[in-house]
Amino acid sequence: MLQTILRGSCLIALSALSWSQPQPAPDTPAFEIADVHVSAKIRNSFVRTSPVREGRYEVRNATMVDLIRIAYGTDTDKILGGPNWLELDRYDVTAKLPEGSGATVDTKPMLQKLLEDRFQLKLHKETKPLPGFALVVGKKPLLKEAAGEEAAGCTPEGSSGGRGGPGVTMLSMMSSDGKATTMTLGPGMTIHYICHNMTMDAFASGLRSMMGAPQVIGPNPVLNETGLKGAWNFDVRWSMNFIGPMMESGDRISISDAIEKQLGLKLDPRQIPTPVVVVDSVNRKPTDNSPEVAKALPTTVLPTEFEVADVKPSAPGGRGGRYMTQPGGRLVAANMSLSFLINRAFDANNSDEVAGMPDWANSERFDVTAKAPAGDASASRLDDALPAMMLALLKDRFKLTYHKEDRQVSAYTLVAAKPKLHKADPNSRTNCKNGQAPSGSPGTRMLTCQNVTMAEFAERLQNMGPGLNWPVIDATGLEGGWDLNVIFNQGGQMMFAARGGGEMAQPVGAPAASDPSGMQTIFEAVEKQLGLKLESRKRTAAVVVIDHIEQKPTEN
């Protein structure tokens, strides 16, 4: 098979490497037994994986694309083909490893075999041109040649090995070893990278792992086409993808502008030959579980209380906060408001779901260090157990009492005004990607949806702007699947885009909205760009009502 792509003014022929899915050898490792079923619908629909513990393997709330990505060690954007539901339906997989398997056993071949056996998955691999970037020289490189004596690498200012200094705030991130790394963010929420002894090959290949970069350049490596040899020293700073009042404290600069104006280089969009996985066929419904599943894989019982917890008021004058889990079933919350902790206890996505919150709950801040009971469930499913354990802690230490009731709330309904939408190819994948807009200032978003119903699009609009706290209901009357994209500014909301690309990655060459300025709110953008309208209407919803809570926790 021969393909051609256009690069500049030259046509380049690519021989697409294609081969059929290899047939598993008779001794291909396999799970002893597995429970596979459709996931229960939850609010936060993202895949959850757990380390292998006591011979038990778990993947929860995973789309078929997620399962293929995990099984074959590839990226979501490199899984092509397949039926339109591939990114829509979600599954839970719990499996028992063969006797004697260690915690470091490679489970990928086992998951591959499970997908072949239970879903009749058939796929093949080949090479296709995909959108990406090349790093090229601009008008004049603004780099200083390195002496070659310093350790090579790019380090954020304020982190280990970087220069400290005053900044607007401090950003704390959890590393893979469970340690927190703090970085200084400057005016405009800019992150400052200090790079020493860097070759252009190393800088280009490492660019997508730098904070804030994956949401702009996507998940694919950047090609080095600068032609610059040797090693270089340079500084570069760009605005993190935060939205909210802190962004107003200085000028914002995009990554593309930073690389061009500060380094004299450019990110040039390219079609790059990339190895991909192509899904030929797969069943939507898995085969039935064995009757022995319940005995071999008993249901995990989640803990409902922390084993021990240290709760104390935060030090005065603290800025920023942390709320994270650590290995071993440990929760660390630093400088968090009591209202935040209450919302986590009720798994609330917005403050409107909890009524009767005292005013001081937004200003009083606390540090919480807690440990879940020892056990497999505490270690592997701590995030699932956190709401119940936090609720028990608030009842015990802050004497929280509450009740639930149905109340009238103001919520939004999506209606048709003068629709400006495109009918979708019914065979195309159903998905929505929320990414940084390709043009405009940092903080602008672009929601791109393919082959979605209006109900699926309405569901994506929750929390996209101030007031969109409750699920959005579709009342457009528009049937079938649609392709659409909308560019807007998520003003008033505070959001940090996910690291590592994936769903947040902005594809190169995405269609432009009718008004791509990014200064429109989501309400204006939906109406002006899509010809739809978000109307506020009264609706009955379940609300948690706080009856009593103490301002000071009991002693540790």
Side-chain angles (χ1 to χ4, degrees):
M1 182 166 59
L2 190 67
Q3 296 180 345
T4 58
I5 62 171
L6 181 64
R7 176 173 295 178
S9 59
C10 301
L11 281 172
I12 300 176
L14 296 177
S15 176
L17 302 176
S18 177
W19 61 91
S20 298
Q21 177 174 296
Q23 294 299 312
D27 60 348
T28 296
F31 295 119
E32 281 191 7
I33 193 170
D35 175 5
V36 182
H37 60 266
V38 174
S39 304
K41 190 172 180 61
I42 60 176
R43 290 185 176 186
N44 300 310
S45 295
F46 57 89
V47 61
R48 301 183 181 187
T49 61
S50 302
V52 172
R53 295 181 186 277
E54 303 296 328
R56 189 181 179 107
Y57 174 88
E58 292 186 54
V59 180
R60 302 184 304 284
N61 206 45
T63 66
M64 182 54 63
V65 167
D66 290 325
L67 293 172
I68 295 172
R69 170 181 59 81
I70 295 168
Y72 289 88
T74 188
D75 295 323
T76 298
D77 73 310
K78 298 180 181 65
I79 301 171
L80 309 180
N84 57 15
W85 54 265
L86 226 60
E87 296 179 64
L88 183 65
D89 293 8
R90 291 182 176 271
Y91 305 90
D92 290 351
V93 175
T94 305
K96 185 178 180 181
L97 273 64
E99 196 69 32
S101 300
T104 59
V105 65
D106 185 6
T107 56
K108 291 187 181 68
M110 300 183 197
L111 184 56
Q112 291 174 21
K113 190 168 189 343
L114 180 144
L115 296 177
E116 294 165 18
D117 293 344
R118 302 294 299 272
F119 291 91
Q120 302 303 303
L121 172 67
K122 297 185 186 301
L123 53 80
H124 69 275
K125 300 178 182 179
E126 61 180 75
T127 297
K128 286 183 176 290
L130 293 183
F133 288 93
L135 186 68
V136 300
V137 171
K139 293 181 179 179
K140 181 182 178 182
L142 303 174
L143 309 172
K144 181 179 179 181
E145 192 169 356
E149 298 173 353
E150 297 178 282
C154 289
T155 307
E157 182 181 33
S159 65
S160 178
R163 295 196 301 261
V168 171
T169 191
M170 304 296 286
L171 175 66
S172 293
M173 300 297 295
M174 178 64 71
S175 60
S176 59
D177 60 2
K179 296 180 180 179
T181 299
T182 303
M183 290 159 283
T184 302
L185 298 183
M189 300 306 289
T190 53
I191 187 166
H192 178 196
Y193 273 98
I194 304 156
C195 302
H196 290 132
N197 204 20
M198 288 290 289
T199 65
M200 288 297 99
D201 278 339
F203 180 59
S205 65
L207 188 57
R208 68 171 179 158
S209 66
M210 297 170 74
M211 294 288 295
Q215 294 76 43
V216 178
I217 65 176
N220 297 322
V222 176
L223 297 180
N224 172 29
E225 295 190 358
T226 61
L228 298 175
K229 306 298 181 183
W232 307 86
N233 293 339
F234 52 90
D235 289 13
V236 62
R237 67 178 77 221
W238 55 67
S239 296
M240 294 291 291
N241 196 27
F242 278 102
I243 303 168
M246 285 189 291
M247 290 295 289
E248 300 171 2
S249 59
D251 293 334
R252 293 175 283 176
I253 183 166
S254 68
I255 292 176
S256 298
D257 285 346
I259 288 175
E260 183 170 2
K261 295 177 181 179
Q262 299 169 27
L263 305 183
L265 309 175
K266 290 181 67 176
L267 284 172
D268 188 26
R270 296 285 176 85
Q271 291 290 322
I272 299 174
T274 308
V276 298
V277 171
V278 182
V279 177
D280 299 313
S281 62
V282 62
N283 291 343
R284 192 168 193 170
K285 183 180 183 298
T287 57
D288 293 337
N289 290 317
S290 164
E292 301 297 318
V293 158
K295 181 179 179 181
L297 296 165
T299 302
T300 299
V301 178
L302 299 178
T304 58
E305 296 182 1
F306 291 110
E307 181 179 298
V308 63
D310 178 85
V311 183
K312 60 185 179 183
S314 302
R319 308 183 69 177
R322 287 188 291 151
Y323 186 86
M324 63 183 69
T325 58
Q326 295 178 339
R330 183 183 176 92
L331 169 72
V332 175
N335 201 39
M336 303 307 299
S337 68
L338 186 60
S339 61
F340 177 90
L341 299 178
I342 293 172
N343 282 330
R344 297 288 62 75
F346 292 107
D347 200 21
N349 281 343
N350 65 81
S351 57
D352 290 349
E353 293 183 50
V354 182
M357 192 91 71
D359 291 339
W360 54 262
N362 294 311
S363 57
E364 295 293 315
R365 294 181 173 270
F366 298 91
D367 297 342
V368 177
T369 303
K371 186 179 183 302
D376 179 56
S378 299
S380 64
R381 301 189 61 179
L382 180 59
D383 288 340
D384 295 334
L386 273 180
M389 292 194 294
M390 180 58 68
L391 181 57
L393 182 144
L394 293 174
K395 288 179 178 180
D396 178 39
R397 305 297 299 276
F398 290 88
K399 306 307 175 186
L400 167 69
T401 60
Y402 67 95
H403 70 277
K404 296 182 180 180
E405 64 182 54
D406 289 338
R407 288 190 174 187
Q408 286 285 298
V409 300
S410 294
Y412 282 88
T413 298
L414 185 68
V415 300
K418 297 179 179 179
K420 295 182 279 187
L421 307 171
H422 297 283
K423 264 292 185 183
D425 175 356
N427 296 316
S428 62
R429 292 255 196 95
T430 295
N431 61 46
C432 282
K433 301 184 187 297
N434 181 1
Q436 186 172 352
S439 60
S441 63
T444 55
R445 311 296 302 165
M446 181 160 82
L447 180 63
T448 303
C449 294
Q450 176 178 283
N451 194 19
V452 293
T453 64
M454 284 294 98
E456 290 163 346
F457 175 62
E459 185 178 354
R460 288 288 184 144
L461 292 175
Q462 185 177 4
N463 296 325
M464 286 290 179
L468 292 173
N469 296 333
W470 298 98
V472 178
I473 293 177
D474 167 43
T476 61
L478 299 174
E479 302 293 336
W482 304 89
D483 293 340
L484 56 91
N485 65 283
V486 57
I487 294 178
F488 61 99
N489 191 296
Q490 207 164 357
Q493 300 291 95
M494 177 58 69
M495 188 181 78
F496 177 64
R499 298 178 66 186
E503 203 175 61
M504 302 296 287
Q506 171 57 45
V508 178
S514 58
D515 183 358
S517 66
M519 298 310 294
Q520 296 174 344
T521 67
I522 186 64
F523 302 94
E524 295 168 332
V526 164
E527 184 171 3
K528 295 179 181 179
Q529 299 172 28
L530 303 181
L532 307 176
K533 192 173 181 180
L534 285 164
E535 290 187 350
S536 179
R537 299 179 180 180
K538 290 294 183 181
R539 186 191 308 167
T540 300
V543 175
V544 173
V545 182
I546 304 296
D547 297 318
H548 174 80
I549 190 166
E550 297 288 340
Q551 190 166 354
K552 182 180 179 182
T554 58
E555 296 295 327
N556 292 313

